[in-house]
Amino acid sequence: CSIMINSCDNYSDIWEPFFTLFNKYFKTDMDVYISLETKKCPYAKTINKNFPLEQRTARIRECLKDIPTKYVIIMDEDCFISEYVNMFEIQNCIKYMEEDNNIAQFNFEPTFDNNDLECKYHGWLKRNNYPEGFQILYFNCNFSKNINGKCIHQIMREEEQNKNKCD
């Protein structure tokens, strides 16, 4: 089994915090790859496939062809690990896939507790008093920041402020 971190050249600023937490909480001897367009990442084996952002799935599929293991754990670089990874659970998932060829994937996404809506991936930032230089963005915000250089909410606030100045 290997691990592939899905990222892009524009998000190189979060590789260091991502891999700091990854190396702390994901204790493994698996090969770790990162899929990028053109840059090299100093923290993992880099696979470069220069696809436009809107062809993200195609890039992931092409990168997977360069990974020699039968099983690959795919992660996104903006999902910060804040708890130790249960390697026994991963080994069990691999065992289940070996036993049943109809299983194509397991999903380990976090769940929300009804009493605490804070996603566990952002616990590290909270425990470290939200250090300067970090920004929590969800998919739409990340996508907007990659395309427009700003989170969509920031763009909307600025447009509203400019509209009010004109009134």
Side-chain angles (χ1 to χ4, degrees):
C1 188
S2 298
I3 301 168
M4 184 177 81
I5 312 303
N6 185 49
S7 188
C8 67
D9 292 356
N10 289 343
Y11 290 170
S12 62
D13 58 329
I14 65 172
W15 298 343
E16 182 178 4
F18 172 86
F19 280 103
T20 297
L21 294 171
F22 178 89
N23 291 329
K24 179 178 181 178
Y25 292 115
F26 205 132
K27 301 294 184 187
T28 182
D29 58 356
M30 295 179 205
D31 286 331
V32 179
Y33 299 86
I34 187 166
S35 69
L36 302 168
E37 294 90 355
T38 61
K39 286 186 177 180
K40 295 291 181 200
C41 176
Y43 307 103
K45 297 177 181 181
T46 303
I47 301 174
N48 294 117
K49 302 290 180 184
N50 198 4
F51 284 78
L53 183 61
E54 56 274 4
Q55 293 182 357
R56 177 178 188 257
T57 303
R59 181 162 55 92
I60 291 171
R61 286 184 178 156
E62 285 302 308
C63 288
L64 286 170
K65 292 177 183 178
D66 290 350
I67 297 177
T69 56
K70 182 176 180 179
Y71 300 108
V72 179
I73 297 169
I74 299 175
M75 301 175 64
D76 287 328
E77 86 293 274
D78 60 351
C79 290
F80 294 103
I81 301 174
S82 61
E83 297 174 6
Y84 287 97
V85 173
N86 184 338
M87 296 304 294
F88 181 73
E89 190 174 345
I90 291 173
Q91 292 166 349
N92 275 341
C93 291
I94 293 171
K95 183 182 128 217
Y96 298 143
M97 288 188 289
E98 287 288 338
E99 294 171 355
D100 185 351
N101 288 332
N102 293 315
I103 300 173
Q105 74 176 33
F106 283 92
N107 191 337
F108 293 102
E109 287 183 292
T111 57
F112 292 95
D113 181 320
N114 289 335
N115 298 321
D116 180 9
L117 296 179
E118 180 188 352
C119 178
K120 68 180 182 178
Y121 290 134
H122 300 124
W124 179 87
L125 292 172
K126 184 176 181 181
R127 285 191 306 276
N128 288 277
N129 201 26
Y130 298 97
E132 192 173 319
F134 291 93
Q135 185 177 19
I136 299 173
L137 298 174
Y138 292 96
F139 180 80
N140 290 342
C141 300
N142 272 327
F143 187 81
S144 175
K145 189 170 183 179
N146 187 52
I147 300 296
N148 303 306
K150 297 178 183 177
C151 166
I152 189 65
H153 301 98
Q154 183 180 1
I155 293 170
M156 292 168 57
R157 279 192 301 273
E158 289 172 359
E159 287 175 354
E160 186 65 28
Q161 288 171 350
N162 289 336
K163 179 183 164 197
N164 290 339
K165 286 179 185 177
C166 295
D167 291 341

